[in-house]
Amino acid sequence: MPEQKPVTEAVADANPDTFTITDNKTGKSWEMPGRTGTMGNRLIDIKSLYGKTGILTYDPGFTSTASCKSDITYIDGANGVLLHRGYPIDELANNSDFMETCYLLLYGDLPTPEQKLDFDGDIKQHTLLHDQITKFYTGFMRSAHPMAIMVGVVGALSAFYHDSMDITDIDERRLAAHRIIAKMPTIGAYAYKYSQGLPFPMPRNDLSYSENLLQMMFSNPAEEYKIDPVLAKAIDRLLILHADHEQNASTSTVRLAGSSGANPYACVASGIASLWGPAHGGANEAVLKMLDEIGSKENIEKFVKKAQDPGDNFRLMGFGHRVYKSYDPRATVMRESCHEVLKVLGINDPKLELAMELERRALEDPYFIEKKLYPNVDFYSGIIMKAMGFPTSMFTVMFAIGRTVGWISHWKEMLVDDEQKIGRPRQLYQGEDKRVYVPIDRRGHTETKTGWGWLWGKKS
Ligand code: CMC
């Protein structure tokens, strides 16, 4: 068969800053500018493509499309590199603390001691929830998933804080940003307390962000709660490791929601909804469920093969990543942290052993090697949280608490981007051509298309 020529093709010109797009059907060519960032791939700037050519690009899942420019986070997926404002993630996880990392992501530089004190102090001014908001919780079922409660309560903040809704006002934007970061641990911990029928503990501003999170999760008014510094450090590190990850699904959701001028509380609620999915932040919960299902080392082989079966939807949860085609650098730190925490707690968790054996087995399997599927951050985070006593349903909540600063930093950056426009993707229409309306009494039945299944996409 002769080699089929693509209808249009983009070729990098000898001039590295331009590309020539040629329509092979008509022979017409157009020059498109190139873009390069500080690091990373070259890009074709196709902003003017449609206007100049009437041609659209097709890229489901944005696998080849940069939706914005950003200064916040850099990922080199082939080499397992993750930098926040230029700092490697392992250096931040080992030397920084979560508040400092929040400042770095939001404001671009590591804070001076005074800036850190100011920022910390301001966040602490906003840890309490309006008393009326705490009443919302009683409207939820006790069995509600805490992520469902988070989506609702964070979205509802916009019904309370009218003093920080004007996104054109810098002070209101800052107030909303600090407020959301400050309240997330309180909102998350209360979702858990509510499910347990336990009273809501007050935030304690004498504690660090992570210590306070621990005490709101695990203290009860009947006895004194002693904070284990090792656990507080592990939580802090976990939050740092989740703080940002450039244009992932939930961050892109926040940006898309924010691009219409929506208020920051609503934008973050949309990010929480997106994060909840098992292909994204819900994976940490799914990893533990999968390890339970695998049960013991003898069954690993069966599950590794099941994950390769094209007729089976099962995937090894905690493996694979859209960007990393090498070990996720967050997983490396999380793995170390996991061992430390289990050692300190004196826990000999067979799940960790099972996880390590699964990792070993998958990493030597030709399917996982060929597709470059490595453990991601979620593979070990669930084991740490389980060891600390977090219920499985709270794993994604912890991810959301950490990621909030990333969402807010991207929202902040987007608002001052002079190229920012309302997000409005186009589509490849594959539906019916124009049809003539047929009255209902003249429509026949289709024998093969009965029941609801086919209407919802069932194949047979
Ligand atoms: N187990 C088995 N096969 C897999 C897996 C997996 N975990 N992940 C990807 N594949 C296969 C997939 O079937 C596909 O095969 P083929 O080329 O034959 O169709 C190929 O690898 C490429 O997968 P993809 O779905 O096209 O890749 P993607 O970039 O769209 O998806 C992912 C990335 C993370 C959604 C996917 O790897 C996945 O579903 N992993 C399991 C869920 C998970 O751990 N998610 C957490 C991601 S990290 C935390 C976060 O940022 O949220």
Side-chain angles (χ1 to χ4, degrees):
M1 241 178 47
E3 200 192 321
Q4 215 174 343
K5 260 192 142 191
V7 177
T8 53
E9 59 183 21
V11 184
D13 273 358
N15 173 353
D17 292 321
T18 62
F19 294 82
T20 305
I21 307 258
T22 304
D23 180 345
N24 291 329
K25 223 172 179 176
T26 62
K28 275 190 185 168
S29 287
W30 300 270
E31 195 168 273
M32 290 290 138
R35 298 277 285 252
T36 41
T38 330
M39 290 184 273
N41 306 73
R42 293 176 62 209
L43 291 91
I44 311 174
D45 183 340
I46 55 160
K47 274 200 311 291
S48 61
L49 182 74
Y50 179 66
K52 278 187 183 162
T53 68
I55 297 168
L56 296 174
T57 56
Y58 180 63
D59 185 17
F62 302 114
T63 54
S64 305
T65 299
S67 59
C68 62
K69 54 186 196 292
S70 181
D71 295 350
I72 302 171
T73 290
Y74 172 74
I75 302 176
D76 173 353
N79 295 307
V81 174
L82 168 61
L83 310 177
H84 291 321
R85 303 283 190 185
Y87 296 99
I89 188 64
D90 53 325
E91 285 191 26
L92 292 173
N94 292 328
N95 304 313
S96 182
D97 64 37
F98 184 60
M99 275 297 96
E100 183 177 78
T101 301
C102 284
Y103 186 97
L104 174 71
L105 288 168
L106 263 174
Y107 299 116
D109 274 315
L110 288 169
T112 61
E114 296 77 32
Q115 286 167 332
K116 170 97 188 300
L117 213 60
D118 265 8
F119 180 64
D120 227 14
D122 199 44
I123 294 292
K124 284 179 177 167
Q125 288 306 303
H126 298 288
T127 49
L128 281 169
L129 284 189
H130 191 294
D131 193 44
Q132 205 63 24
I133 294 180
T134 60
K135 300 208 167 51
F136 269 26
Y137 285 79
T138 57
F140 290 102
M141 299 280 282
R142 294 266 182 202
S143 57
H145 195 288
M147 285 295 279
I149 297 182
M150 295 279 278
V151 175
V153 175
V154 173
L157 294 177
S158 48
F160 284 82
Y161 298 107
H162 306 298
D163 59 348
S164 51
M165 299 279 279
D166 179 1
I167 61 161
T168 63
D169 184 298
I170 287 176
D171 289 330
E172 293 201 22
R173 291 212 289 260
R174 181 194 43 77
L175 182 57
H178 289 194
R179 192 175 258 157
I180 298 173
I181 293 168
K183 291 192 194 307
M184 285 296 274
T186 319
I187 294 171
Y190 285 10
Y192 171 59
K193 288 292 183 194
Y194 180 69
S195 73
Q196 301 294 298
L198 291 166
F200 295 156
M202 282 297 129
R204 276 185 45 197
N205 292 346
D206 58 322
L207 301 176
S208 74
Y209 194 87
S210 306
E211 289 168 342
N212 180 46
L213 173 53
L214 271 179
Q215 79 83 18
M216 284 194 292
M217 274 293 297
F218 299 118
S219 68
N220 79 63
E223 55 196 44
E224 195 195 343
Y225 177 71
K226 280 217 168 73
I227 294 158
D228 185 328
V230 177
L231 300 193
K233 177 80 201 143
I235 288 291
D236 208 69
R237 202 183 237 190
L238 185 133
L239 295 177
I240 294 174
L241 292 176
H242 286 95
D244 189 46
H245 213 226
E246 52 122 297
Q247 311 309 324
N248 55 84
S250 57
T251 304
S252 300
T253 304
V254 170
R255 277 189 180 257
L256 193 56
S259 75
S260 71
N263 74 70
Y265 306 104
C267 293
V268 171
S270 74
I272 296 171
S274 169
L275 184 76
W276 192 5
H280 191 8
N284 49 20
E285 190 175 341
V287 168
L288 266 258
K289 283 192 185 138
M290 176 189 72
L291 290 174
D292 278 340
E293 221 185 308
I294 296 176
S296 63
K297 288 184 187 171
E298 302 80 69
N299 299 327
I300 287 179
E301 191 63 28
K302 195 172 88 197
F303 280 85
V304 170
K305 288 287 165 248
K306 192 171 152 66
Q308 304 175 23
D309 179 355
D312 194 323
N313 286 335
F314 174 78
R315 286 182 169 201
L316 276 194
M317 300 314 284
F319 273 81
H321 198 275
R322 167 61 60 78
V323 186
Y324 293 120
K325 301 302 168 198
S326 142
Y327 216 97
D328 178 342
R330 302 168 300 170
T332 314
V333 182
M334 199 66 92
R335 193 177 197 262
E336 280 166 21
S337 211
C338 194
H339 284 286
E340 268 168 40
V341 167
L342 295 187
K343 201 167 152 207
V344 168
L345 293 174
I347 294 176
N348 207 353
D349 190 346
K351 279 225 178 64
L352 179 64
E353 273 187 40
L354 186 63
M356 279 168 35
E357 184 56 22
L358 176 64
E359 178 187 355
R360 195 191 59 74
R361 178 63 196 81
L363 286 178
E364 65 188 27
D365 189 286
Y367 173 92
F368 285 83
I369 295 171
E370 193 195 310
K371 293 192 186 297
K372 298 189 167 69
L373 299 170
Y374 292 84
N376 58 50
V377 69
D378 287 325
F379 192 65
Y380 284 105
S381 62
I383 297 172
I384 300 191
M385 287 191 271
K386 179 175 173 282
M388 289 190 204
F390 286 90
T392 321
S393 61
M394 283 297 288
F395 293 178
T396 315
V397 170
M398 294 297 289
F399 192 153
I401 294 171
R403 183 56 56 87
T404 297
V405 66
W407 293 330
I408 295 282
S409 303
H410 283 271
W411 173 79
K412 170 180 178 277
E413 184 179 68
M414 180 194 69
L415 290 180
V416 294
D417 183 349
D418 51 11
E419 288 185 289
Q420 194 271 324
K421 277 179 180 295
I422 184 168
R424 202 325 185 167
R426 304 298 296 265
Q427 62 168 10
L428 170 62
Y429 177 69
Q430 293 199 308
E432 299 286 349
D433 211 333
K434 192 175 175 191
R435 296 201 271 185
V436 174
Y437 180 83
V438 180
I440 194 160
D441 54 347
R442 281 197 243 140
R443 288 173 220 157
H445 293 287
T446 344
E447 286 307 317
T448 49
K449 292 180 172 178
T450 50
W452 290 107
W454 71 273
L455 285 171
W456 284 94
K458 198 170 161 192
K459 295 280 181 314
S460 57

